[in-house]
Amino acid sequence: MNIQSRPRLPRTRLSRRTFLLGLAATPLALSAGCATRQPDTVPVAVSDTTGRRPLPIPPLAESVVDASGVRHFALTAAAGTTEIIAGKSTPTWGYSGSVLGPTIRARRGETVAFTIDNALPETTTVHWHGVHVPARFDGGPHQSIAPGGRWEPSWTVNQPAATLWYHPHPHGSTEKHAYRGLAGMFLVDDDETDASTLPRVYGVDDIPLVVQDRRFTVDGSLDESDPTDVGLLGDTIVTNGIADAYLSVRTELVRLRILNGSGGRMYNLGFGGGEEFTMIGSDGGLLAEPVRATRIALSPGERTEIVVAVRPGTPMMLRAFPFDDRAGVARDEAAQYGLTDSFDVLELRPAADLERSAALPAVLAALPRPDASDVVARRRFDLQWFMINGERMDMNRIDFTPTVDTTEVWTVRNADNWPHNFHVHDTQFRILDIDGTPPPPVLAGWKDTVYVAPGSEVRLVLRFTEYTDPTYPYMFHCHLMLHEDQGMMGQFLVLAPGQEPAPVTMDMDMDMDTGMGASRPGAGGHGGH
């Protein structure tokens, strides 16, 4: 398959994207004093003799259940200061803290409600990545929260147990908001997983890992200059908000819920000694059965759940390795996308005396093979440059309108020589095949984000269930955040049979500091394109 290459400029030239597509640069400056308030600095333990510090475990978000059974959470997006690198103070953003956010935990079948305040100097949003949620509460670019504003979404959780997450999604500013620290885990529990023998004591043998990359200036501030063609690539790996972390392990088995929270970096994860681990879950929940592996690749936004067997007193290093196949990228281009880099991510330090762990179940979840026999629509998405199907994102254009509770097959092709991935809001999909071959076991479960290598073609089967809305759309996009910011995104309305679209329209007098415009409901002329 022929891939059209584009001329490249030296990495020190900040105008590469303007050269390619005539795009205006998005401001990426970060001011330490720009917030309306500053939460306390996150306390970080003193480094040990190796220079490593204990891994911070994001606290479980506090919640209150009212008389009607609704579980209420509160989050505030605000600026603070974090000791990401030992001994240096870095201005950061976080949810109800100086960086990242608390882990939200909810059960299938319960109704959750959020009060989200924006104490930042810029308009932002909170998107529930991987969550099945009504479109008006999706937290995409149409659900903006102005500085000083408040947003109050609510829905009933109706999906299997899974490792999900939340992050900002303001059109044109997603990368910098996430880079500054806005992200958090969202865990769904259900009766089936409660009854299993999987490790599930949060913070003890069930550990969330938000893996990100950052680059710093001499004074410890985040360096947001000189993004590459895949975004801001850092030279420092940050796990749960700090660099050079270790985890004390007290049990024979430890479950790691790993999120690639980077904007553009991909990770090829494994252990330094080549130790095997067991993969038990992907983006949308548990696999059908455990899968033994020594490497797992994650593109931005993807998650994996693995269980690691440790030996008493024997440390193990979780590492990011170079990609053996360069993730399908040409040999002479792989380095500039970070695909040849290697990093230490997290050291596991087992105790000398370990608590016994139950054996892993042989069967994890009921996952029938994807069924495409009742397909009502087939759609194609070609990814190239900062466009999908030759078009950049238009907030006032609806690209198509699926009918609720029907099955569709989407073919996603990377017609580029850049790495891309593909994320769909609201639903979890199954992969039918990759270049005509059934997916490997690690990609055979529920997914909401999939990597698509240059020249490759991935077929997905998916359904949009339960929620319809003629006004507010869901998004589909590349989850390399610079790419979505620059227009590699589209939107769709899920409609009931016979329902007519009446899409939200945007005031396109954009705020040049934030990239955001105001939205207002109204009957637009673009529905159903």
Side-chain angles (χ1 to χ4, degrees):
M1 186 175 294
N2 293 326
I3 302 298
Q4 180 181 354
S5 298
R6 292 165 310 289
R8 291 189 49 82
L9 297 180
R11 190 175 185 277
T12 54
R13 293 282 298 276
L14 294 181
S15 60
R16 67 171 61 80
R17 294 184 304 282
T18 302
F19 174 81
L20 291 172
L21 289 175
L23 305 178
T26 301
L28 286 173
L30 173 61
S31 170
C34 64
T36 56
R37 72 177 185 86
Q38 296 250 348
D40 294 337
T41 300
V42 168
V44 177
V46 176
S47 303
D48 65 9
T49 55
T50 69
R52 295 190 173 277
R53 293 175 289 169
L55 177 77
I57 304 297
L60 291 173
E62 296 181 358
S63 63
V64 175
V65 179
D66 65 21
S68 63
V70 176
R71 185 174 297 278
H72 294 263
F73 297 91
L75 297 171
T76 298
T81 304
T82 306
E83 195 177 322
I84 299 177
I85 299 175
K88 296 216 177 231
S89 294
T90 300
T92 51
W93 289 0
Y95 296 112
S96 301
S98 73
V99 73
L100 298 179
T103 296
I104 296 164
R105 195 147 203 173
R107 292 192 64 80
R108 186 172 195 172
E110 75 175 346
T111 299
V112 294
F114 290 84
T115 299
I116 300 174
D117 292 304
N118 181 10
L120 297 168
E122 296 185 14
T123 296
T124 191
T125 80
V126 179
H127 167 55
W128 316 106
H129 183 124
V131 181
H132 177 48
V133 63
R136 68 187 183 279
F137 296 142
D138 181 58
H142 291 284
Q143 286 82 45
S144 59
I145 314 171
R150 171 174 287 183
W151 186 48
E152 297 182 296
S154 179
W155 70 92
T156 298
V157 178
N158 186 17
Q159 62 191 106
T163 299
L164 314 171
W165 66 302
Y166 60 99
H167 64 81
H169 208 308
H171 185 38
S173 306
T174 295
E175 183 186 37
K176 69 174 180 177
H177 284 209
Y179 191 78
R180 295 173 184 181
L182 293 175
M185 289 287 206
F186 192 128
L187 306 184
V188 173
D189 299 312
D190 63 17
D191 294 343
E192 289 75 12
T193 52
D194 283 355
S196 79
T197 58
L198 293 173
R200 57 188 180 91
V201 181
Y202 184 83
V204 177
D205 62 359
D206 186 353
I207 309 296
L209 296 183
V210 182
V211 181
Q212 301 168 305
D213 61 328
R214 297 290 184 266
R215 195 168 63 236
F216 299 89
T217 61
V218 173
D219 67 358
S221 298
L222 293 172
D223 184 353
E224 300 182 352
S225 64
D226 196 19
T228 72
D229 286 334
V230 294
L232 294 163
L233 286 183
D235 54 13
T236 301
I237 295 300
V238 175
T239 308
N240 288 1
I242 71 168
D244 299 318
Y246 73 86
L247 173 68
S248 295
V249 180
R250 309 200 308 263
T251 54
E252 293 175 328
L253 299 179
V254 60
R255 177 184 189 174
L256 304 179
R257 301 177 186 250
I258 306 174
L259 159 68
N260 181 349
S262 291
R265 182 177 289 283
M266 292 169 39
Y267 297 102
N268 183 25
L269 297 173
F271 287 94
E275 297 92 341
E276 277 194 337
F277 53 84
T278 302
M279 182 178 173
I280 61 169
S282 55
D283 298 343
L286 296 177
L287 301 177
E289 57 189 28
V291 175
R292 300 291 291 175
T294 57
R295 294 282 191 275
I296 187 71
L298 295 179
S299 66
E302 288 186 286
R303 289 87 66 208
T304 187
E305 296 187 36
I306 67 173
V307 175
V308 184
V310 299
R311 291 181 293 172
T314 305
M316 299 170 64
M317 180 64 74
L318 181 64
R319 291 183 53 78
F321 290 89
F323 283 77
D324 295 335
D325 63 352
R326 304 178 306 281
V329 172
R331 186 179 301 276
D332 61 348
E333 295 185 335
Q336 63 195 331
Y337 304 132
L339 300 172
T340 62
D341 295 340
S342 59
F343 298 97
D344 290 345
V345 175
L346 176 70
E347 185 182 28
L348 303 185
R349 295 184 179 177
D353 295 311
L354 296 171
E355 299 175 18
R356 292 292 300 273
S357 296
L360 296 181
V363 176
L364 297 171
L367 292 183
R369 293 179 62 84
D371 182 10
S373 62
D374 60 346
V375 172
V376 302
R378 298 179 183 272
R379 307 186 194 276
R380 185 173 183 88
F381 304 85
D382 283 351
L383 313 180
Q384 188 173 34
W385 303 346
F386 299 119
M387 300 180 294
I388 300 178
N389 293 340
E391 293 185 306
R392 292 175 63 206
M393 172 68 173
D394 181 345
M395 294 284 282
N396 287 327
R397 184 189 71 237
I398 299 300
D399 294 284
F400 51 89
T401 57
T403 301
V404 70
D405 293 323
T406 60
T407 300
E408 300 195 355
V409 169
W410 292 9
T411 300
V412 184
R413 172 177 173 262
N414 185 343
D416 211 338
N417 62 326
W418 284 356
H420 293 298
N421 69 8
F422 192 77
H423 170 56
V424 187
H425 287 206
D426 180 59
T427 191
Q428 297 287 334
F429 53 73
R430 301 286 297 278
I431 299 173
L432 287 174
D433 52 61
I434 301 171
D435 295 327
T437 301
V442 296
L443 294 177
W446 291 111
K447 297 280 292 172
D448 55 55
T449 307
V450 62
Y451 178 66
V452 188
S456 187
E457 188 171 274
V458 180
R459 288 199 310 146
L460 318 174
V461 59
L462 67 174
R463 292 172 68 92
F464 299 97
T465 62
E466 189 174 3
Y467 302 123
T468 62
D469 194 323
T471 300
Y472 288 101
Y474 295 112
M475 306 292 122
F476 61 94
H477 57 86
C478 178
H479 212 284
L480 278 67
M481 292 180 179
L482 174 69
H483 293 185
E484 69 174 271
D485 280 343
Q486 298 291 2
M488 201 168 202
M489 181 162 60
Q491 52 190 5
F492 59 93
L493 296 168
V494 178
L495 302 179
Q499 191 173 35
E500 292 295 324
V504 66
T505 57
M506 295 292 294
D507 178 357
M508 299 312 291
D509 293 330
M510 303 296 283
D511 182 334
M512 296 307 294
D513 290 331
T514 65
M516 296 293 295
S519 63
R520 58 184 185 275
H526 303 285
H529 283 194

